[in-house]
Amino acid sequence: MPKVIKAYVRYVDALNRRLGIAVMYLIFVMMGLLLFASLTRYVLHIPLVWVIEMSQFLMAAYYILGGPYSMQLGSHVRMDVLYERWRPKTQGFWDSLTAMVMIFYLVVLFRGGFASTVYSLEYGQRNYSAWAPLMWPIKAIMTAGIGLMILQTISIFFKDLAKFMERDIA
Amino acid sequence: MSYELMAVLMFTSMILMLMTGQRVFGAIGFVASVFALSLWGNGAVEMPFSSAITLLNWYPMLTLPMFVYMGYMLSESGIASDLYRMFHVWSGPMAGGLAIGTILLMVAISAMNGLSVAGMAIGATIALPELLRRNYDKVMVTGVIQAGSSLGILIPPSVVLVLYGMIARQPVGQLWLAGVFPGLMMAGMFIVYIWIRCKLQPHMGPPLSLEERQQISTGEKFRLLKAGLMPLGVILTMTVLFMSGATSLVESSAVGAALATGIAGYKRRITREVMRATLTKSLGVSCMFMWVILAALAFGAVFDGLGAVKAIEILFLDKWGLSPWEVLLLMQLTYILMGMFLDDTAMLIIVAPLYVPLIIALGFNPIWYGVLYTITCQIAYLTPPFGYNLFLMRAMAPPEITLVDIYKSVVPFVIIMITALVIIMMFPQIALWLPEHVYVGK
């Protein structure tokens, strides 16, 4: 495969891997936050109104920013009834074709996310709750994560193509 | 083009896309966005993203990463294998005792884990070799592990019921409570089956030999009991906190995850590798579920917009003139059939938006149906030719277990599960008694 492609794959993979490894520790933050909230409520009788939403935001960041790395890990299920029996070349052929399909979906998601973020920014949209947090920061994070997911899918497309063409990509 | 035809087309194209073997979330999300855009034009471009917001606002979803983490923490750190040792030593002297102990182990693991994979992994890698070494019948024990681990999605915490709760808009706490008695009943039926089978055919499950029993001192036995009781204490703490209303559902899951980490730390089992494996696997599995749900929600929204559910309802009730119970039976039947040929995760998410509104329209209790749905899902996991557990088993089991053994092994257990399904259909109180009598906060 051409050098540019190899470099792209290397950089995008490295970026998303680092991000994913950082993001996976968010689970402790969520855990700690929830424990803290139940303690303050139960022991000190102080309900923390912001905890529910904050932990929801963290979870959204967790799975969306972690998404690209989970693709690298090969965690996503496929319907492998036929797929499993194909030769690597055939798998590469279909995967590189259907990677486009996945990119299409992610681009629609991204466009929606972008429009929604812009809207929230313009009107200063807040969540309907006691805490009423501004919505644009989390939407911006989610949209950025979807963008990284697109970059990762393109990298995966190149790998699938290399598998189909039986070329080296590392 | 009529909306009915569009719905059929949408469903077909999804199946075709899934057949290509592309990641399920990509395939489903693509079909959803293409149909949304072609039906409603550019205005629908925000539809897939709005399901991300729906997902963001679904608070009980936080239990998913928590319980996935907890399950991996217990299995990676080897605490779950302590639990196996305990059941092994204590139930070994009975006829078929090790197999019965394995079912009990699976119940305990199910109560700490929302999926069936963890039980499967522990069963196939730790319990299975031990059972084979003691001359248990290999077909029977393969079935025991598969059926036992499938309880993971019925006994709370259950990830399947979290998904169901989201799609059906039902409180997850109630759904989980509804799963308790059906799950225990099914485990009880498995145990009775094993016990009778081993009484009639003693060679299938010989008790531990006298010398092997004497090798383990009474002190050792109690030490194992203590080690095993610790994870059971985690379950108890979570349950008490949740049932008394001290912590919410989500907070209880965080307590469970923290306690599991605490125990592993106390036993000095947390190494760098254990932590890394736990965190990586938790991220991977959580992301997998979340992205599939994200895509499936968009799919469901488009499907709903087409009025597909209404069309099916009219077809069943008015055109075919079926009674609600006939519709219910037909649904369960098609569900089991689909489960044989479709990927289970995908099926789970496709079927719920189709069936659940129908169930509510027919006047059935959606909590009760959640239990039926989960049991059917368990059956689908086990039924050949394409069951999720079947593949896992083949991947994890020792080489002397062939695919034919695996296929043969599930037959009696599937029959038991179908019996359980029918019993719960006839007596909804088995599922509904607990959620109706226990107050649960959100």
mmCIF file of all heavy atoms in Angstrom, chain B residues 300-319:
data_model
loop_
_atom_site.group_PDB
_atom_site.id
_atom_site.type_symbol
_atom_site.label_atom_id
_atom_site.label_comp_id
_atom_site.label_asym_id
_atom_site.label_seq_id
_atom_site.Cartn_x
_atom_site.Cartn_y
_atom_site.Cartn_z
ATOM 1 N N GLY B 300 -35.556 1.595 14.916
ATOM 2 C CA GLY B 300 -36.877 1.490 15.507
ATOM 3 C C GLY B 300 -37.707 2.746 15.280
ATOM 4 O O GLY B 300 -38.904 2.663 15.003
ATOM 5 N N ALA B 301 -37.048 3.918 15.358
ATOM 6 C CA ALA B 301 -37.771 5.180 15.178
ATOM 7 C C ALA B 301 -38.318 5.288 13.753
ATOM 8 O O ALA B 301 -39.463 5.683 13.547
ATOM 9 C CB ALA B 301 -36.857 6.351 15.495
ATOM 10 N N VAL B 302 -37.498 4.910 12.782
ATOM 11 C CA VAL B 302 -37.949 4.971 11.394
ATOM 12 C C VAL B 302 -39.076 3.969 11.166
ATOM 13 O O VAL B 302 -40.099 4.270 10.546
ATOM 14 C CB VAL B 302 -36.782 4.696 10.412
ATOM 15 C CG1 VAL B 302 -37.271 4.739 8.978
ATOM 16 C CG2 VAL B 302 -35.668 5.694 10.629
ATOM 17 N N PHE B 303 -38.877 2.789 11.693
ATOM 18 C CA PHE B 303 -39.853 1.726 11.548
ATOM 19 C C PHE B 303 -41.194 2.146 12.152
ATOM 20 O O PHE B 303 -42.254 1.897 11.596
ATOM 21 C CB PHE B 303 -39.329 0.485 12.267
ATOM 22 C CG PHE B 303 -39.678 -0.804 11.588
ATOM 23 C CD1 PHE B 303 -39.162 -1.100 10.328
ATOM 24 C CD2 PHE B 303 -40.508 -1.719 12.192
ATOM 25 C CE1 PHE B 303 -39.479 -2.284 9.702
ATOM 26 C CE2 PHE B 303 -40.828 -2.908 11.565
ATOM 27 C CZ PHE B 303 -40.315 -3.197 10.323
ATOM 28 N N ASP B 304 -41.104 2.796 13.293
ATOM 29 C CA ASP B 304 -42.282 3.311 13.977
ATOM 30 C C ASP B 304 -42.970 4.367 13.133
ATOM 31 O O ASP B 304 -44.189 4.363 12.992
ATOM 32 C CB ASP B 304 -41.821 3.951 15.290
ATOM 33 C CG ASP B 304 -42.640 3.468 16.450
ATOM 34 O OD1 ASP B 304 -43.170 2.341 16.351
ATOM 35 O OD2 ASP B 304 -42.752 4.212 17.436
ATOM 36 N N GLY B 305 -42.152 5.251 12.565
ATOM 37 C CA GLY B 305 -42.679 6.322 11.727
ATOM 38 C C GLY B 305 -43.439 5.792 10.529
ATOM 39 O O GLY B 305 -44.354 6.434 10.015
ATOM 40 N N LEU B 306 -43.078 4.611 10.096
ATOM 41 C CA LEU B 306 -43.754 3.995 8.957
ATOM 42 C C LEU B 306 -45.114 3.421 9.339
ATOM 43 O O LEU B 306 -45.881 3.010 8.477
ATOM 44 C CB LEU B 306 -42.904 2.846 8.417
ATOM 45 C CG LEU B 306 -41.770 3.213 7.477
ATOM 46 C CD1 LEU B 306 -40.952 1.981 7.179
ATOM 47 C CD2 LEU B 306 -42.336 3.777 6.201
ATOM 48 N N GLY B 307 -45.363 3.331 10.619
ATOM 49 C CA GLY B 307 -46.609 2.705 11.057
ATOM 50 C C GLY B 307 -46.584 1.204 10.874
ATOM 51 O O GLY B 307 -47.627 0.573 10.723
ATOM 52 N N ALA B 308 -45.383 0.621 10.903
ATOM 53 C CA ALA B 308 -45.263 -0.814 10.661
ATOM 54 C C ALA B 308 -45.965 -1.628 11.734
ATOM 55 O O ALA B 308 -46.592 -2.646 11.443
ATOM 56 C CB ALA B 308 -43.795 -1.207 10.576
ATOM 57 N N VAL B 309 -45.851 -1.146 12.980
ATOM 58 C CA VAL B 309 -46.446 -1.906 14.073
ATOM 59 C C VAL B 309 -47.960 -1.969 13.922
ATOM 60 O O VAL B 309 -48.581 -3.014 14.079
ATOM 61 C CB VAL B 309 -46.056 -1.276 15.426
ATOM 62 C CG1 VAL B 309 -46.714 -2.020 16.558
ATOM 63 C CG2 VAL B 309 -44.549 -1.282 15.586
ATOM 64 N N LYS B 310 -48.548 -0.826 13.580
ATOM 65 C CA LYS B 310 -49.996 -0.759 13.359
ATOM 66 C C LYS B 310 -50.402 -1.737 12.242
ATOM 67 O O LYS B 310 -51.398 -2.443 12.348
ATOM 68 C CB LYS B 310 -50.362 0.678 12.963
ATOM 69 C CG LYS B 310 -51.806 1.031 13.115
ATOM 70 C CD LYS B 310 -52.200 1.269 14.569
ATOM 71 C CE LYS B 310 -53.685 1.001 14.742
ATOM 72 N NZ LYS B 310 -54.038 0.623 16.094
ATOM 73 N N ALA B 311 -49.590 -1.770 11.206
ATOM 74 C CA ALA B 311 -49.900 -2.648 10.074
ATOM 75 C C ALA B 311 -49.916 -4.108 10.499
ATOM 76 O O ALA B 311 -50.816 -4.864 10.121
ATOM 77 C CB ALA B 311 -48.880 -2.429 8.957
ATOM 78 N N ILE B 312 -48.920 -4.498 11.318
ATOM 79 C CA ILE B 312 -48.867 -5.888 11.774
ATOM 80 C C ILE B 312 -50.072 -6.191 12.662
ATOM 81 O O ILE B 312 -50.700 -7.239 12.552
ATOM 82 C CB ILE B 312 -47.559 -6.163 12.541
ATOM 83 C CG1 ILE B 312 -46.361 -5.967 11.615
ATOM 84 C CG2 ILE B 312 -47.549 -7.580 13.090
ATOM 85 C CD1 ILE B 312 -45.040 -6.103 12.302
ATOM 86 N N GLU B 313 -50.401 -5.226 13.498
ATOM 87 C CA GLU B 313 -51.529 -5.412 14.408
ATOM 88 C C GLU B 313 -52.820 -5.645 13.617
ATOM 89 O O GLU B 313 -53.594 -6.554 13.917
ATOM 90 C CB GLU B 313 -51.654 -4.169 15.292
ATOM 91 C CG GLU B 313 -52.517 -4.390 16.519
ATOM 92 C CD GLU B 313 -52.757 -3.088 17.268
ATOM 93 O OE1 GLU B 313 -51.837 -2.251 17.314
ATOM 94 O OE2 GLU B 313 -53.871 -2.914 17.782
ATOM 95 N N ILE B 314 -53.028 -4.813 12.587
ATOM 96 C CA ILE B 314 -54.233 -4.954 11.767
ATOM 97 C C ILE B 314 -54.246 -6.312 11.062
ATOM 98 O O ILE B 314 -55.256 -7.004 11.027
ATOM 99 C CB ILE B 314 -54.320 -3.800 10.744
ATOM 100 C CG1 ILE B 314 -54.617 -2.491 11.491
ATOM 101 C CG2 ILE B 314 -55.398 -4.076 9.697
ATOM 102 C CD1 ILE B 314 -54.486 -1.251 10.641
ATOM 103 N N LEU B 315 -53.066 -6.693 10.574
ATOM 104 C CA LEU B 315 -52.960 -7.973 9.877
ATOM 105 C C LEU B 315 -53.357 -9.126 10.789
ATOM 106 O O LEU B 315 -54.183 -9.964 10.431
ATOM 107 C CB LEU B 315 -51.521 -8.162 9.382
ATOM 108 C CG LEU B 315 -51.222 -9.488 8.699
ATOM 109 C CD1 LEU B 315 -51.811 -9.519 7.305
ATOM 110 C CD2 LEU B 315 -49.722 -9.737 8.634
ATOM 111 N N PHE B 316 -52.792 -9.137 12.005
ATOM 112 C CA PHE B 316 -53.036 -10.243 12.935
ATOM 113 C C PHE B 316 -54.474 -10.250 13.444
ATOM 114 O O PHE B 316 -55.144 -11.272 13.421
ATOM 115 C CB PHE B 316 -52.092 -10.151 14.141
ATOM 116 C CG PHE B 316 -50.707 -10.677 13.861
ATOM 117 C CD1 PHE B 316 -49.675 -10.471 14.772
ATOM 118 C CD2 PHE B 316 -50.429 -11.373 12.697
ATOM 119 C CE1 PHE B 316 -48.399 -10.955 14.518
ATOM 120 C CE2 PHE B 316 -49.163 -11.851 12.435
ATOM 121 C CZ PHE B 316 -48.148 -11.640 13.352
ATOM 122 N N LEU B 317 -54.931 -9.090 13.910
ATOM 123 C CA LEU B 317 -56.217 -9.067 14.619
ATOM 124 C C LEU B 317 -57.400 -9.011 13.669
ATOM 125 O O LEU B 317 -58.364 -9.744 13.829
ATOM 126 C CB LEU B 317 -56.263 -7.888 15.579
ATOM 127 C CG LEU B 317 -55.281 -7.962 16.755
ATOM 128 C CD1 LEU B 317 -55.423 -6.754 17.638
ATOM 129 C CD2 LEU B 317 -55.481 -9.240 17.564
ATOM 130 N N ASP B 318 -57.319 -8.127 12.669
ATOM 131 C CA ASP B 318 -58.495 -7.933 11.811
ATOM 132 C C ASP B 318 -58.512 -8.882 10.623
ATOM 133 O O ASP B 318 -59.497 -9.543 10.365
ATOM 134 C CB ASP B 318 -58.553 -6.480 11.331
ATOM 135 C CG ASP B 318 -58.716 -5.527 12.510
ATOM 136 O OD1 ASP B 318 -59.020 -6.037 13.610
ATOM 137 O OD2 ASP B 318 -58.536 -4.316 12.335
ATOM 138 N N LYS B 319 -57.370 -8.964 9.918
ATOM 139 C CA LYS B 319 -57.395 -9.769 8.694
ATOM 140 C C LYS B 319 -57.373 -11.259 9.013
ATOM 141 O O LYS B 319 -58.080 -12.034 8.401
ATOM 142 C CB LYS B 319 -56.220 -9.399 7.798
ATOM 143 C CG LYS B 319 -56.385 -7.994 7.215
ATOM 144 C CD LYS B 319 -55.500 -7.759 6.021
ATOM 145 C CE LYS B 319 -55.682 -6.342 5.498
ATOM 146 N NZ LYS B 319 -54.448 -5.792 4.954
#
